């Protein structure tokens, strides 16, 4: 087991849990939905952390179980991203999003199953089929980016910059996790994600000024 890989997954679990609870505790509807998405991501990473620790023979089953909350989180990101839309349009988009997410899960599980693996150095690769990677990237970007713009617009000054570009960096890092097959690139992206998440949770959890000027 690679200790840096384990620490990366543990920190992701803690960071998304801390931030998820903070956003969910807000009275703002968009913040609540974003918080739920983060908590679902935390659950997904907790399951994958278990796989990193145990490195089970049925690794694909671990990955699939973790994918369930991750895919559901995309729905909540979509709900957050369309928060400012008219109710009828918002309802239709959410309906389409749920259908697409359900199809994505069926395709990645039964049509193009993944082949996750650990290298001899202990690095963890999801090894998704290229078609599944493509759909994941489109789905992640199209749901996460609008949601990030919605929540960051409710902050001011340096905090708006941190929230917008910090979470954007996490989206890019997430894409690297599901598409990358190079250990060096994986390490670099892991360090970037770790530092950015630290900046996000250490600021938003302990700096009340950041929330006092949010709308």
């Amino acid at each position: 087991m690679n200790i840096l890989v384990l620490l990366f997954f543990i920190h992701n679990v803690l960071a998304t849990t801390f931030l998820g609870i903070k956003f969910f505790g807000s009275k703002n509807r968009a913040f609540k939905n974003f918080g739920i998405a983060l908590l679902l991501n935390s659950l997904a990473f907790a399951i994958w952390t278990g796989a990193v620790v145990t490195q089970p023979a049925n690794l694909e089953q671990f990955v699939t179980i973790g994918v369930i909350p991750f895919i559901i989180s995309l729905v909540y990101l979509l709900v957050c991203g369309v928060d400012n839309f008219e109710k009828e349009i918002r309802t239709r988009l959410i309906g389409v999003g749920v259908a697409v997410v359900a199809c994505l899960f069926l395709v990645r599980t039964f049509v193009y199953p993944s082949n996750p693996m650990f290298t001899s150095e202990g690095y963890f690769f999801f090894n998704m089929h290229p078609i599944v990677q493509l759909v994941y990237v489109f789905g992640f970007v199209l749901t996460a980016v609008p949601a990030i713009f919605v929540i960051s617009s409710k902050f001011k000054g340096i905090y708006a910059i941190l929230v917008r570009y910090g979470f954007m960096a996490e989206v890019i890092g997430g894409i690297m996790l599901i598409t990358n097959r190079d250990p060096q690139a994986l390490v670099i992206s892991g360090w970037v994600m770790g530092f950015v998440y630290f900046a996000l949770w250490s600021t938003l959890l302990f700096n009340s000024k950041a929330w006092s000027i949010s709308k």
Side-chain angles (χ1 to χ4, degrees):
M1 180 174 59
N2 188 314
I3 190 64
L4 288 179
V5 173
L6 177 60
L7 290 176
F8 167 78
F9 275 88
I10 291 175
H11 185 235
N12 268 271
V13 172
L14 294 175
T16 48
T17 298
F18 294 156
L19 291 167
I21 292 174
K22 188 66 176 180
F23 275 99
F24 182 74
S26 170
K27 296 180 180 180
N28 183 279
R29 183 176 62 187
F31 279 7
K32 282 186 176 295
N33 286 315
F34 193 76
I36 294 173
L38 288 172
L39 291 172
L40 287 167
N41 269 280
S42 175
L43 176 58
F45 270 94
I47 294 169
W48 295 330
T49 300
V52 170
V53 172
T54 61
Q55 298 192 13
N58 58 340
L59 181 58
E60 165 58 18
Q61 294 180 20
F62 263 80
V63 172
T64 299
I65 294 172
V67 162
I68 295 173
F70 172 75
I71 287 183
I72 297 174
S73 77
L74 299 183
V75 176
Y76 281 94
L77 288 174
L78 173 63
V79 174
C80 175
V82 299
D83 186 71
N84 296 327
F85 289 22
E86 294 181 2
K87 183 177 180 179
E88 183 177 354
I89 297 176
R90 188 168 66 242
T91 301
R92 291 180 179 179
L93 287 174
I94 294 171
V96 171
V98 170
V100 170
V101 162
C103 290
L104 172 59
F105 180 75
L106 293 174
V107 169
R108 63 84 48 207
T109 304
F110 300 108
V111 181
Y112 297 117
S114 302
N115 183 31
M117 60 169 286
F118 288 96
T119 66
S120 58
E121 297 86 5
Y123 295 112
F124 180 35
F125 293 98
F126 286 91
N127 276 346
M128 296 179 181
H129 188 280
I131 298 297
V132 177
Q133 288 183 359
L134 177 67
V135 178
Y136 264 119
V137 170
F138 272 101
F140 197 21
V141 171
L142 290 176
T143 55
V145 172
I148 291 169
F149 272 81
V150 168
I151 64 165
S152 64
S153 69
K154 301 180 184 300
F155 290 86
K156 296 292 185 181
I158 188 65
Y159 304 109
I161 295 173
L162 174 63
V163 169
R164 176 167 299 184
Y165 293 103
F167 280 112
M168 289 283 281
E170 296 301 334
V171 170
I172 295 170
I175 292 173
M176 289 297 296
L177 283 180
I178 63 177
T179 61
N180 174 58
R181 296 188 180 184
D182 178 73
Q184 186 175 7
L186 191 69
V187 169
I188 294 172
S189 112
W191 278 107
V192 171
M193 290 180 72
F195 279 121
V196 171
Y197 259 143
F198 177 78
L200 283 166
W201 69 256
S202 63
T203 300
L204 297 181
L205 261 66
F206 302 112
N207 192 334
S208 58
K209 185 179 179 181
W211 298 91
S212 66
I213 56 178
S214 62
K215 297 185 287 185

